[in-house]
């Protein structure tokens, strides 16, 4: 018998490890569309379309190269709708001598995969996912013996190892990190160039119909789907980003603006995470643009840091600390997720904007995720399991290895500071500085009590006061604690009463 080579939905990369050494005469590539993967959280319909359509295009490209592909369709009546069930059925069809797979992105899928060998009775080889720039053993070696894992140190090692933005042993431009230059708000009158949209072809349209029929009740709709679903379109999207938006990517990386859902962001996460785009190619394209004088260094470095630094780092953290990581709840948060995360009306315009574009596009950019919906969940003490499930469901780029550390570690501090040395908590003043949302809001970011007060203000001070004992040991929290201590106690009491009222109304 030949080899059964398994390719999962987020592994649609031509050079994926499980295809290495493929013998077209004897081997079969197995791809599985299973219901369980579409529903373990209620994924946004556009996210399901992305994965299924990318799989079908990838299968077609393999078949065109003469590879035997066995793609189990979602609407196949014999489909058992689990990975293990489908591997067993494929085993009966093809009787392979062995099974080869690539390490999956999610803990849940790895547990399933680890059971295949016993179930099938032939050897199952699980190969390292070589699409990542830092292997899991390499990350473990870096993390071993550290009490906390700071991205910045990891990132410098990755710069040295890959040679990206290096001039000999020195970082290009003499500094590792230009983040301090990347905090401007969007000036009035500056309109970011439109990113390319990729109109659905016949394969994608068929998938859209299937998803609309099966998962129509999930938050969001298939209409408007325009993500790349092939390597060719993913590359075109990267080229357009580097040419049109990279030059100002750095400056406005933290900006938020009404009616501007994507600003100068790259929109490459869906392609990177499904295998359509190679992370090293994306980094090199940005470095080249800088070396050619087409983009400033703060932009190229900022973009490369997100991919070579953050993306690799969160994946390492995930596999280093799972499964316990997902269960941590350092701040004891236990509030139910408010209905406005699923589109129920809210007077908070920043939230309304972030949620509305999430529903329409399955996309929000980083600062919206971190400082609007994430910040609110942190301040209001939303149950980590609930907010994690939300982020995993609503974004087209959400896979647990990248979603969980970002939500759990960065946004809501549920890991107690393993990733971030302090919680990313902010009051309305931050949102007002970085966006134009407050201008059109029923609330006033300058008021903390009273009928027009911005809820983020009372919630922020209530959060600091609630956790004051815990934060006292953290030098990076000294400033807000000092400010709180100097405040008129009557003002603090009024804000905390305001926060309690707001939260009680939220729970009602
Ligand atoms: P750009 O701003 O153009 O950045 C370029 C690329 O860098 C991204 O495509 C992404 O691959 C990478 N990147 C940037 N920031 C991060 C980060 N913090 N962690 C990992 N990679 C990063 N990203 C996901 O891919 N999937 C998720 O499920 C996800 N969930 C998130 C949840 C929260 C609460 C937060 C705060 C962030 C999350 N991120 C997630 C990270 C980041 O917000 C998205 O990668 C980014 O918004 C995707 O849009 P873009 O491609 O336009 O990114
Ligand atoms: Fe958000 Fe407050 Fe600004 Fe309204 S005033 S948009 S609630 S930060």
């Amino acid at each position: 018998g030949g080899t059964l080579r398994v390719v999962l939905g987020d592994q649609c990369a031509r050079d994926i490890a499980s295809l290495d050494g493929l013998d077209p005469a004897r081997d079969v590539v197995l791809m599985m569309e299973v219901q369980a993967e579409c529903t373990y959280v209620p994924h946004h319909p556009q996210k399901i379309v992305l994965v299924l359509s990318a799989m079908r295009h990838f299968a077609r490209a393999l078949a065109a190269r003469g590879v035997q592909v066995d793609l189990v369709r979602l609407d196949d009546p014999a489909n058992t709708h689990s990975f293990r069930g489908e591997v067993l059925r494929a085993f009966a069809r093809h009787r392979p001598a062995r099974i080869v797979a690539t390490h999956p992105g999610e803990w849940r899928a790895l547990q399933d995969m680890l059971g295949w060998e016993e179930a099938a009775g032939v050897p199952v080889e699980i190969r390292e996912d070589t699409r990542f720039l830092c292997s899991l053993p390499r990350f473990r070696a870096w993390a071993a013996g550290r009490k906390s894992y700071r991205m910045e140190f990891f990132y410098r090692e990755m710069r040295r190892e890959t040679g990206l933005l290096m001039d000999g042993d020195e970082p290009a431009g003499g500094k590792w990190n230009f983040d301090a230059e990347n905090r401007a708000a969007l000036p009035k009158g500056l309109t970011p160039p439109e990113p390319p949209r990729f109109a659905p072809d016949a394969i994608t349209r068929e998938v859209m119909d299937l998803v609309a029929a099966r998962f129509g009740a999930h938050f969001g709709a298939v209409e408007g789907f325009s993500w790349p679903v092939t390597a060719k379109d993913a590359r075109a999207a990267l080229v357009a980003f580097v040419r049109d938006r990279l030059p100002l990517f750095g400056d406005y990386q933290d900006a938020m603006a009404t009616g501007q859902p994507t600003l100068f962001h790259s929109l490459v996460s869906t392609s990177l995470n499904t295998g359509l785009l190679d992370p090293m190619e994306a980094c090199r394209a940005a470095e080249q643009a800088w070396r050619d004088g087409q983009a400033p260094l703060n932009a190229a470095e900022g973009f490369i840091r997100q991919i070579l630094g953050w993306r690799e780092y969160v994946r390492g953290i995930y596999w280093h600390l799972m499964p316990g990581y997902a269960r941590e709840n350092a701040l004891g948060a236990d509030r139910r997720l408010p209905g406005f995360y699923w589109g129920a009306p809210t007077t908070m315009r920043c939230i309304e904007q972030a949620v509305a574009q999430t529903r329409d596009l399955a996309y929000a950019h980083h600062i919206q995720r971190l400082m609007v919906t994430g910040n609110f969940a942190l301040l209001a003490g939303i149950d980590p399991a609930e907010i994690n499930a939300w982020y995993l469901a609503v974004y087209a780029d959400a896979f647990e290895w990248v979603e969980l550390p970002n939500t759990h570690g960065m946004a809501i501090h549920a890991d107690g500071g393993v990733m971030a040395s302090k919680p990313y908590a902010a009051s309305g003043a931050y949102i007002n500085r970085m966006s134009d949302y407050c201008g059109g809001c029923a609330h006033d970011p300058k008021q903390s009590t009273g009928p027009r007060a911005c809820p983020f203000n009372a919630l922020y001070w209530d959060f600091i006061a609630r956790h004051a004992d815990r934060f006292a040991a953290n030098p990076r929290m000294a400033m807000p604690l000092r400010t709180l201590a100097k405040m008129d106690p009557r003002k603090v009491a009024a804000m905390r009463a305001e926060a309690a009222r707001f939260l009680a109304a939220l729970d009602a």
Side-chain angles (χ1 to χ4, degrees), residues 249 265-269 272-273 303 306-307 310-311 314 363-366 369-370 391 397-399 402-403 406-407 411:
F249 171 86
H265 291 276
S266 67
L267 311 182
V268 297
S269 55
L272 291 173
N273 296 353
F303 181 71
Q306 304 312 313
I307 295 178
W310 282 108
R311 187 170 183 276
V314 299
Y363 179 86
H365 61 72
H366 188 69
R369 298 189 205 192
L370 185 64
Y391 278 103
D397 59 24
F399 296 89
V402 52
E403 176 278 324
N406 268 299
T407 307

